[in-house]
Amino acid sequence: MRRRVLVLFLSQVILRVLVGQVNHSLAAWHMHVFLGALFILLPTLTLPFGEGLALALLGGLLNDAVAPVAFGTHAFLFGAVHVLLFRIRDRVPRDQTLGLIVIVLLANLALFLVFSFIEVAGLPVAGALWPRLILDLVWSQLLLVAATPWFVALQERALVLVRAQPRPAL
């Protein structure tokens, strides 16, 4: 169990670094991508509840450390999405790439909208920000379509390399 959590957390660190670099490159165009749902996708759909929740919270804290939001915001919302996805995971096609992409797109949309409403609510010019936020959402979702198969394959391959694959559910 510890190896599995450690390997998946290290893959989250890799993803956090790559997303940070992409956002740094996009800053010149005043753009930002958000791939929050990708941090919790595989742990939520394949691991037992406790391990998946631990990884969702760790991934959230990892994102909280670099984001200008109240510390714990990502962790709380990632944990909430983990609980929701875990409850429906037996009813979704999680063994097909297209199913994973649809799940991650819907989860990312929900996370993005909740974060946007939380952070924009108190600003005096909130209405002026929504066109830019919608554009950021579109770019984020397009990048998710491309990145999801790669990141899931990276996580699965890392688990195989350290012999820490999750046991199949009965």
Side-chain angles (χ1 to χ4, degrees):
M1 177 185 121
R2 288 185 209 151
R3 262 192 298 180
R4 197 167 38 212
V5 171
L6 180 62
V7 166
L8 291 176
F9 177 68
L10 290 175
S11 70
Q12 289 178 339
V13 171
I14 291 169
L15 180 62
R16 178 68 253 159
V17 169
L18 291 175
V19 170
Q21 291 300 312
V22 168
N23 282 330
H24 179 73
S25 299
L26 293 175
W29 293 289
H30 305 284
M31 293 173 52
H32 175 268
V33 293
F34 176 75
L35 305 180
L38 202 49
F39 284 86
I40 60 174
L41 179 68
L42 192 70
T44 299
L45 297 180
T46 61
L47 298 180
F49 181 79
E51 288 180 48
L53 182 60
L55 281 161
L57 295 175
L58 286 171
L61 291 174
L62 186 64
N63 280 280
D64 281 331
V66 297
V69 298
F71 194 73
T73 305
H74 285 89
F76 174 75
L77 292 174
F78 283 16
V81 169
H82 168 74
V83 170
L84 292 172
L85 284 178
F86 189 84
R87 290 199 167 266
I88 66 165
R89 78 181 190 169
D90 292 331
R91 291 173 267 187
V92 295
R94 54 186 169 157
D95 56 343
Q96 301 170 357
T97 303
L98 184 59
L100 291 175
I101 290 172
V102 169
I103 293 165
V104 80
L105 285 174
L106 291 174
N108 202 64
L109 173 66
L111 282 169
F112 186 91
L113 291 176
V114 169
F115 277 120
S116 297
F117 281 115
I118 289 172
E119 296 302 317
V120 173
L123 298 177
V125 291
L129 292 176
W130 282 107
R132 187 188 74 83
L133 289 173
I134 291 171
L135 185 61
D136 287 350
L137 175 63
V138 168
W139 286 114
S140 298
Q141 299 294 74
L142 289 173
L143 184 57
L144 263 178
V145 169
T148 298
W150 168 79
F151 189 63
V152 169
L154 172 79
Q155 288 181 312
E156 288 175 344
R157 184 66 181 149
L159 288 171
V160 168
L161 287 173
V162 298
R163 295 185 186 110
Q165 304 93 324
R167 292 186 186 133
L170 297 176

